[in-house]
Amino acid sequence: MSSEVVIELEHVGKCYRLGEHHGAGTDLRETIARTTGRLRRLPREEVRELWSLRNVSFAVEEGNALGIIGSNGAGKSTLLKVINSITTPTEGTCRTRGRVGSLLEVGTGFHGELTGLENTFLNGAILGMTRHEVRSRLDEIIEFSGLERFMDTPVKRYSSGMYLRLGFAIAAHMEAEILLVDEVLAVGDADFQRRCLGKMNEVEQNGRTVLFVSHNLDAMARLCPTTMWLEKGRVRSIGPTEGVIDAYMRSAGSTSTGVLLDADPTRSAQVVGVSLVDDGGTVQSILSTRDAAWLTVEVVTNHPVPGLDISFQVATRSGTGILDELLSDLGPSSISSAGRYIVGCRLPPVLTPGEYVISVWMGTAYEQLEQLDDVVGFTVEGDDLGRARRLIKLTTEWRTARVDDHLVDG
Ligand SMILES: Nc1ncnc2c1ncn2[C@@H]1O[C@H](COP(=O)(O)OP(=O)(O)OP(=O)(O)O)[C@@H](O)[C@H]1O
Ligand SMILES: [Mg+2]
């Protein structure tokens, strides 16, 4: 007899009505998730329907780990929110068996004005814990998070790393039969990522079920035997991880040389283009191992945004991060006043032959205005000189000094 099905979705669809005013009286959890989650672009006047999920059907058996991949906006987070009952499906049914614990996008389920301690109780309740359960594990949760000194600070003053530590500590200390993990590896430091992967592994080993959303395909391949690929809200394929990742990478590779996005005057600041540009100013999708280039964004600032900052991340196509450079690393940013800017970040010829993707973040110390994951792909071509195990090459300075002179002389 096969093992028990613990997650089952049948023809699930989720429709958002964009532009509609979300009044009071909607589901509390959804309101919290929406107000504390990432900022969304909403056109002002017209009301438009957007199906984030459509006709999604699958089942997961107890003790399995299912990976979920797909490009930005494919519906991955929405899917986890449906499974976690943070949001209700517009059509179809979703059934789960057992308690669902989750580590969703940074800040989901946290309320900015409340302190770390208050949020621990709130988040615990959202995860299905009683106050008594939270209280009995509070010391462990606080210790694990390493945030003893910040438990009375409103979480809106937390960095994204601190948010994560608290969210992870809460999720890790509840007994859940199903663990949902959304994209948390992208923001944590190496130590956090290790603990997180270890925890997920442990959960899986204990016969519990894990759903893991990530753009880090290497981590996915290690953790999940089966992966589902979502595309525009629909299941494009589901099967053994290696085959699904292969197909996904091939399809992603064919699309991107540069992106252009529509300007939206209602937003304070927006990225309208991303590309990789050579020294001659030409957009490139292939570089030689000898060529430097510019990671380039075009930004429109409609209102002054003090402290507006930009970062570029470069990762291998399979998700291993290589670079993460922040404009303000070099001093105060100069794109805060209203205007249109081209911002370039020098990419020296350090990459080895392979396929890469560029992601862009824009925001301030207090809010994220843009996060475009894997928006542009490019290939580096050349000889790896037989050194296939390295990720970057420095061709850097060497020093040699002869130190046995006295022996030679003597
Ligand atoms: N609360 C909401 N209101 C309106 N639209 C929403 C809401 N949540 C999600 N959407 C829209 O639904 C679509 C799917 O979003 P979702 O966040 O699930 O994508 P994703 O696959 O998780 O993307 P990413 O890789 O960027 O995290 C997007 O077009 C998004 O803008
Ligand atoms: Mg998401």
Side-chain angles (χ1 to χ4, degrees):
M1 211 185 93
S2 65
S3 36
E4 209 184 347
V5 169
V6 290
I7 302 174
E8 189 169 24
L9 278 79
E10 281 174 353
H11 310 293
V12 165
K14 174 73 193 180
C15 178
Y16 286 109
R17 295 169 62 82
L18 301 178
E20 192 178 51
H21 185 68
H22 297 276
T26 49
D27 189 38
L28 169 68
R29 291 192 200 188
E30 185 161 23
T31 308
I32 292 172
R34 199 171 45 238
T35 49
T36 60
R38 73 164 62 170
L39 298 154
R40 306 254 172 218
R41 208 178 296 179
L42 291 181
R44 279 287 150 86
E45 275 106 31
E46 88 233 73
V47 173
R48 208 154 48 83
E49 285 191 348
L50 183 133
W51 286 89
S52 302
L53 293 173
R54 206 76 209 255
N55 200 22
V56 174
S57 303
F58 66 94
V60 187
E61 290 178 352
E62 186 174 15
N64 285 328
L66 176 71
I68 301 169
I69 57 176
S71 50
N72 292 131
K76 305 177 297 294
S77 300
T78 307
L79 180 65
L80 293 198
K81 286 174 189 162
V82 166
I83 295 171
N84 198 21
S85 315
I86 285 182
T87 185
T88 43
T90 314
E91 56 182 33
T93 54
C94 169
R95 276 188 293 272
T96 55
R97 192 183 292 254
R99 193 144 74 164
V100 182
S102 63
L103 197 51
L104 299 185
E105 287 169 310
V106 182
T108 305
F110 281 141
H111 198 294
E113 301 296 333
L114 302 181
T115 65
L117 191 65
E118 290 162 338
N119 269 295
T120 303
F121 281 97
L122 176 67
N123 210 248
I126 289 175
L127 296 180
M129 283 195 268
T130 63
R131 271 191 93 76
H132 176 74
E133 279 178 282
V134 177
R135 199 169 299 123
S136 67
R137 298 192 189 141
L138 195 57
D139 289 345
E140 275 173 89
I141 291 174
I142 295 175
E143 192 191 328
F144 196 97
S145 72
L147 294 170
E148 295 84 354
R149 292 188 299 120
F150 303 98
M151 290 310 282
D152 294 321
T153 307
V155 299
K156 67 179 178 195
R157 298 203 212 294
Y158 279 18
S159 68
S160 56
M162 290 161 76
Y163 258 109
L164 265 179
R165 280 175 192 284
L166 188 59
F168 183 60
I170 298 167
H173 285 86
M174 71 173 292
E175 305 275 320
E177 280 78 35
I178 299 171
L179 182 64
L180 310 178
V181 180
D182 191 354
E183 229 19 297
V184 292
L185 298 178
V187 261
D189 58 27
D191 175 56
F192 173 77
Q193 294 189 7
R194 246 193 322 276
R195 279 201 282 166
C196 207
L197 281 172
K199 182 69 192 173
M200 286 193 275
N201 224 330
E202 185 191 313
V203 167
E204 193 189 343
Q205 305 280 301
N206 290 341
R208 289 180 286 166
T209 310
V210 180
L211 254 59
F212 178 41
V213 169
S214 181
H215 289 274
N216 185 332
L217 304 180
D218 289 336
M220 188 149 292
R222 260 182 283 137
L223 201 73
C224 307
T226 308
T227 290
M228 178 164 79
W229 170 11
L230 278 183
E231 191 179 62
K232 300 196 178 92
R234 294 170 187 269
V235 179
R236 167 91 181 247
S237 68
I238 180 166
T241 297
E242 201 179 325
V244 175
I245 286 181
D246 260 10
Y248 173 65
M249 278 168 37
R250 262 183 278 121
S251 101
S254 59
T255 51
S256 46
T257 48
V259 291
L260 286 178
L261 305 163
D262 290 336
D264 174 356
T266 62
R267 302 183 64 204
S268 51
Q270 184 187 3
V271 169
V272 294
V274 183
S275 54
L276 182 73
V277 174
D278 67 17
D279 276 341
T282 308
V283 173
Q284 292 293 353
S285 60
I286 299 176
L287 291 180
S288 134
T289 47
R290 291 183 304 273
D291 294 339
W294 295 92
L295 302 162
T296 307
V297 280
E298 186 165 354
V299 173
V300 174
T301 312
N302 290 310
H303 315 291
V305 183
L308 187 62
D309 209 348
I310 287 176
S311 81
F312 282 106
Q313 295 105 49
V314 174
T316 62
R317 178 70 80 183
S318 55
T320 299
I322 297 177
L323 306 173
D324 186 349
E325 298 294 319
L326 190 66
L327 175 61
S328 65
D329 281 344
L330 287 183
S333 115
S334 52
I335 55 170
S336 301
S337 52
R340 195 175 187 101
Y341 301 88
I342 304 262
V343 182
C345 171
R346 187 68 164 164
L347 177 66
V350 294
L351 299 177
T352 52
E355 303 259 335
Y356 298 89
V357 287
I358 302 169
S359 301
V360 175
W361 171 91
M362 183 167 76
T364 66
Y366 305 103
E367 61 175 347
Q368 169 177 301
L369 296 173
E370 201 87 82
Q371 170 69 57
L372 301 165
D373 292 325
D374 307 345
V375 277
V376 170
F378 65 97
T379 306
V380 173
E381 292 186 340
D383 192 345
D384 71 4
L385 305 169
R387 281 170 267 166
R389 288 187 57 198
R390 61 183 179 175
L391 271 181
I392 59 167
K393 64 176 174 74
L394 290 180
T395 325
T396 184
E397 185 184 355
W398 287 72
R399 285 184 180 181
T400 311
R402 186 163 179 158
V403 292
D404 63 349
D405 286 359
H406 63 289
L407 292 178
V408 175
D409 290 348

